[in-house]
Short mmCIF file of all heavy atoms in Angstrom, two decimals:
data_model
loop_
_atom_site.label_atom_id
_atom_site.label_comp_id
_atom_site.label_asym_id
_atom_site.label_seq_id
_atom_site.Cartn_x
_atom_site.Cartn_y
_atom_site.Cartn_z
N ARG A 28 71.20 -23.83 0.42
CA ARG A 28 71.57 -25.14 -0.30
C ARG A 28 73.11 -25.31 -0.21
O ARG A 28 73.64 -26.44 -0.05
CB ARG A 28 71.08 -25.19 -1.72
CG ARG A 28 69.49 -25.06 -1.74
CD ARG A 28 68.92 -25.76 -3.02
NE ARG A 28 67.57 -25.54 -3.04
CZ ARG A 28 66.63 -26.18 -2.31
NH1 ARG A 28 67.03 -27.07 -1.44
NH2 ARG A 28 65.32 -25.92 -2.45
N LEU A 66 75.76 -14.03 9.32
CA LEU A 66 76.50 -13.72 8.16
C LEU A 66 76.13 -12.42 7.50
O LEU A 66 77.08 -11.61 7.19
CB LEU A 66 76.42 -14.88 7.12
CG LEU A 66 77.01 -16.19 7.48
CD1 LEU A 66 76.53 -17.33 6.52
CD2 LEU A 66 78.59 -16.11 7.57
N LEU A 100 82.89 -18.99 7.44
CA LEU A 100 82.34 -19.62 8.68
C LEU A 100 83.51 -19.91 9.66
O LEU A 100 83.29 -19.81 10.89
CB LEU A 100 81.75 -20.93 8.22
CG LEU A 100 80.41 -20.90 7.52
CD1 LEU A 100 79.95 -22.31 7.01
CD2 LEU A 100 79.26 -20.30 8.38
N ARG A 135 35.50 2.10 11.24
CA ARG A 135 34.21 2.37 10.71
C ARG A 135 33.13 1.87 11.70
O ARG A 135 32.07 2.53 11.83
CB ARG A 135 33.98 1.64 9.38
CG ARG A 135 32.68 2.02 8.61
CD ARG A 135 32.44 1.24 7.37
NE ARG A 135 32.30 -0.12 7.62
CZ ARG A 135 31.93 -0.94 6.63
NH1 ARG A 135 31.69 -0.54 5.39
NH2 ARG A 135 31.83 -2.26 6.92
N PHE A 168 45.52 5.19 1.11
CA PHE A 168 45.09 5.23 2.46
C PHE A 168 46.29 5.63 3.37
O PHE A 168 47.36 4.99 3.30
CB PHE A 168 44.48 3.99 2.94
CG PHE A 168 43.29 3.41 2.14
CD1 PHE A 168 43.50 2.81 0.96
CD2 PHE A 168 42.05 3.56 2.62
CE1 PHE A 168 42.40 2.33 0.23
CE2 PHE A 168 40.97 3.15 1.91
CZ PHE A 168 41.17 2.53 0.69
N LEU A 177 53.25 1.29 1.16
CA LEU A 177 53.08 -0.08 0.97
C LEU A 177 52.16 -0.27 -0.29
O LEU A 177 51.10 0.28 -0.34
CB LEU A 177 52.44 -0.77 2.15
CG LEU A 177 53.25 -0.54 3.49
CD1 LEU A 177 52.46 -1.10 4.63
CD2 LEU A 177 54.56 -1.22 3.43
N ARG A 207 65.92 2.49 17.18
CA ARG A 207 66.79 3.66 17.26
C ARG A 207 68.11 3.37 17.82
O ARG A 207 69.05 4.24 17.76
CB ARG A 207 66.07 4.74 18.19
CG ARG A 207 64.73 5.20 17.62
CD ARG A 207 63.86 5.82 18.71
NE ARG A 207 63.49 4.86 19.59
CZ ARG A 207 62.59 5.14 20.58
NH1 ARG A 207 61.89 6.20 20.64
NH2 ARG A 207 62.26 4.16 21.44
N ILE A 247 51.14 -12.54 27.63
CA ILE A 247 49.83 -12.76 28.18
C ILE A 247 49.67 -12.06 29.50
O ILE A 247 48.65 -11.43 29.80
CB ILE A 247 49.48 -14.25 28.30
CG1 ILE A 247 49.70 -14.90 26.94
CG2 ILE A 247 48.06 -14.40 28.75
CD1 ILE A 247 48.93 -14.30 25.72
N ILE A 286 40.93 -12.18 26.43
CA ILE A 286 40.31 -11.34 25.46
C ILE A 286 38.83 -11.45 25.45
O ILE A 286 38.04 -10.52 25.39
CB ILE A 286 40.96 -11.48 24.12
CG1 ILE A 286 42.47 -11.15 24.16
CG2 ILE A 286 40.20 -10.72 23.05
CD1 ILE A 286 43.27 -11.47 22.87
N ASP A 326 30.68 -9.44 19.80
CA ASP A 326 31.54 -10.45 19.36
C ASP A 326 31.35 -10.74 17.89
O ASP A 326 30.95 -11.90 17.41
CB ASP A 326 31.28 -11.75 20.21
CG ASP A 326 32.46 -12.72 20.08
OD1 ASP A 326 33.40 -12.41 19.35
OD2 ASP A 326 32.28 -13.92 20.59
N LEU A 331 38.69 -11.33 7.01
CA LEU A 331 38.78 -10.21 6.07
C LEU A 331 39.56 -10.60 4.85
O LEU A 331 39.43 -9.88 3.86
CB LEU A 331 39.52 -9.12 6.77
CG LEU A 331 38.82 -8.45 8.01
CD1 LEU A 331 39.71 -7.36 8.64
CD2 LEU A 331 37.44 -7.93 7.62
N TRP A 340 51.53 -9.71 -1.14
CA TRP A 340 50.23 -9.64 -1.78
C TRP A 340 49.16 -9.75 -0.65
O TRP A 340 49.42 -10.22 0.45
CB TRP A 340 50.01 -10.85 -2.67
CG TRP A 340 50.29 -12.22 -2.19
CD1 TRP A 340 51.50 -12.90 -2.40
CD2 TRP A 340 49.50 -13.09 -1.43
NE1 TRP A 340 51.44 -14.11 -1.74
CE2 TRP A 340 50.18 -14.25 -1.14
CE3 TRP A 340 48.20 -12.91 -0.85
CZ2 TRP A 340 49.67 -15.36 -0.41
CZ3 TRP A 340 47.60 -13.98 -0.22
CH2 TRP A 340 48.40 -15.15 0.09
#
Side-chain angles (χ1 to χ4, degrees):
R28 297 207 186 283
L66 290 168
L100 291 173
R135 186 183 66 171
F168 299 81
L177 305 172
R207 296 161 296 189
I247 307 306
I286 293 171
D326 195 6
L331 300 178
W340 53 263

